[in-house]
Structure formats: C-alpha cells, structure tokens
Amino acid sequence: MNNINKNNSNDSILKIENLSKIYKSGKRSVQPLVGLDLEIVKGEFVSVMGPSGSGKTTLLNIVGCIDRATSGNVFLDGVDVARLSEDKLCKIRRDKIGFVFQSFNLVSYLSARENVELAMELAGKFKGQRKQRALEFLSLVGLSGRELHRPSRLSQGEQQRVAIARALVNDPAIVLADEPTGNLDVANKQEIIKLLLELNGERGVSVVMVTHDEGVASQTGRVLYLQDGKIVQDKQQKNSMIVS
C-alpha cells in the first residue's frame, strides 16, 4: 500500500524514497521504518498518526535531521539530507526546519521575546532586526503585550505560541510539530491547532505534525497512518474545517 502516497507535483518540499531505519542492540534489531515512500508539496499541512512503535517519531527525527536513515533518500527542499555531514545537517536544522515540541522547550530565564530572538541569533540571521522581528512574530501568534513575560508567567497555551513564533521566525522551509497539543487542555488545544491552520492557510507554511488526537488530525488537509514502519493509509481532507 506504500504507493498510495506518491504525489506527482514538482513543487515538493519533502520527498522520501525507500526509507528504512534499523536500530541494533547486540544481537537484537528493531526496524521502525520499512521502505517508506512519501512526497509532501509546499504549503501542505500533513498529520502523521499511528500506534506507539509505528515509526512516527523516527520519521520526524529523520526528516528533522536529528537522526539518520539506514538506507534510502530524504530530499528536503531539494537537498538530499541523508548524504550530508554533521556540520551541514546542523545548518539545515537551523536554516530549513522549524521545530514545535510537546513540552515547548523554552529557555526558562528568557522572556518570550528573548526566546524568539535566540533562534535568530543561533542561526546567525537578521542581525540588527532581531528585536523587531521577534515582536512581529509574537504579534502574529497573538502575544502582543506578553513579550517581556518569562515562561513561568505564561499559560501553557501562550508558551506554545511562543514556541510557534520561534519555529517560524527564521523562515524555515518546513515546520515539524511533535504532539504540539499534547500538553494542552481542550480550549488551548483548539486555539493552537487553529493558529497552525491559519498560518498554513494564510502564509503557506508547510507543516508535518505527529499527533495521537483524531480530532486534531481531522482538521488538517492530509492524514498519514503509519503501522509497522509503513504508510498504510494516505487520506486527503480537502474540505477539512476548523472546529470551534
């Protein structure tokens, strides 16, 4: 069933060919990904679902240049990241990928603005514009007036908004979100998915999101279901709607 997820567009942001990953521990080996093929075009919002152990996190880590494939090709914005050195992978992570984590991963002693500025500083981008750009992106995610607050003074939903601003501020080719609503209550969960959908629709941000939440996944344009390291279903949802 792996052939069902091939997209013939030439405008791909992510193209994966025959991707496999094997972890070995002594005589024991585990293969979380098995000959996986996938293409995602620019501007898509794709949810990735599946049971524990199906390969979701491994897939996200390989696409995010955190882990390496055992075999296969991974073209991110036209570059085969499976063949790059560690130094070049680090640069790809900084310049091409925005990460949004379940646990927010904000620096506790920095303000919201400083957390966003830090992403630009680490990437060596927008020197001289960092403060203003951080303020603009915090405004974009609805945090005007909260820029000087440290994470401890922000709600969980607000902390995730800071994380989204940080993920977007360097103009990445793709945003990878790992259970971004997993630590949120129902109201904040819906606000965050609504924000991501708006950013995707209005700014054309490409998003790949791992989630266990059927309600969250149902609102995105496409859902991939993984099982035993393979894509067993690729569901287009062109008429998906934001549920208020």
Side-chain angles (χ1 to χ4, degrees):
M1 297 181 68
N2 253 13
N3 289 332
I4 61 178
N5 60 338
K6 295 294 289 181
N7 191 312
N8 293 322
S9 171
N10 292 321
D11 201 24
S12 65
I13 192 66
L14 176 66
K15 187 173 183 180
I16 293 172
E17 299 173 337
N18 198 29
L19 178 66
S20 293
K21 178 64 180 181
I22 300 173
Y23 293 107
K24 292 186 178 180
S25 178
K27 295 182 179 181
R28 183 172 177 268
S29 65
V30 177
Q31 188 167 2
L33 295 175
V34 184
L36 188 145
D37 296 312
L38 172 65
E39 187 166 356
I40 295 174
V41 300
K42 293 178 182 178
E44 276 197 285
F45 193 147
V46 181
S47 293
V48 182
M49 302 195 72
S52 296
S54 61
K56 303 184 303 297
T57 298
T58 301
L59 175 61
L60 209 66
N61 286 343
I62 290 174
V63 173
C65 302
I66 296 171
D67 199 357
R68 286 186 180 271
T70 302
S71 62
N73 300 304
V74 181
F75 294 95
L76 179 61
D77 202 21
V79 177
D80 188 357
V81 298
R83 304 290 177 261
L84 296 182
S85 67
E86 287 298 329
D87 286 346
K88 289 182 178 179
L89 283 177
C90 183
K91 189 174 188 301
I92 290 286
R93 284 195 298 270
R94 291 197 314 256
D95 296 347
K96 295 283 188 179
I97 304 169
F99 293 96
V100 181
F101 302 97
Q102 179 177 351
S103 57
F104 319 136
N105 285 13
L106 301 178
V107 180
S108 62
Y109 57 84
L110 297 180
S111 68
R113 191 199 77 209
E114 289 168 336
N115 267 281
V116 178
E117 285 186 66
L118 181 61
M120 291 180 277
E121 182 179 350
L122 292 173
K125 287 188 171 184
F126 307 111
K127 188 175 182 180
Q129 305 173 31
R130 291 170 187 164
K131 178 178 179 180
Q132 184 58 38
R133 189 171 174 85
L135 294 175
E136 289 173 2
F137 275 77
L138 287 169
S139 176
L140 179 68
V141 299
L143 287 179
S144 293
R146 308 287 282 172
E147 302 95 337
L148 299 182
H149 287 57
R150 293 182 180 180
S152 62
R153 296 187 59 199
L154 299 171
S155 70
Q156 289 187 323
E158 288 172 331
Q159 290 181 61
Q160 193 61 293
R161 287 173 180 270
V162 175
I164 292 170
R166 179 184 61 190
L168 293 173
V169 75
N170 285 329
D171 291 332
I174 193 168
V175 170
L176 304 179
D178 188 6
E179 295 281 0
T181 63
N183 279 341
L184 305 178
D185 59 27
V186 173
N188 278 313
K189 178 187 297 186
Q190 189 51 50
E191 286 300 313
I192 291 302
I193 190 61
K194 181 179 178 181
L195 173 60
L196 288 171
L197 286 164
E198 288 173 348
L199 292 168
N200 170 253
E202 296 173 9
R203 297 177 65 91
V205 177
S206 304
V207 183
V208 177
M209 175 181 68
V210 167
T211 181
H212 284 97
D213 193 316
E214 288 276 3
V216 168
S218 69
Q219 298 177 64
T220 64
R222 183 178 174 193
V223 184
L224 306 176
Y225 293 89
L226 268 64
Q227 186 172 335
D228 298 326
K230 300 178 181 179
I231 296 174
V232 296
Q233 186 178 8
D234 186 343
K235 183 179 178 182
Q236 295 284 348
Q237 302 184 140
K238 293 182 180 179
N239 296 320
S240 60
M241 297 177 64
I242 299 174
V243 179
S244 59

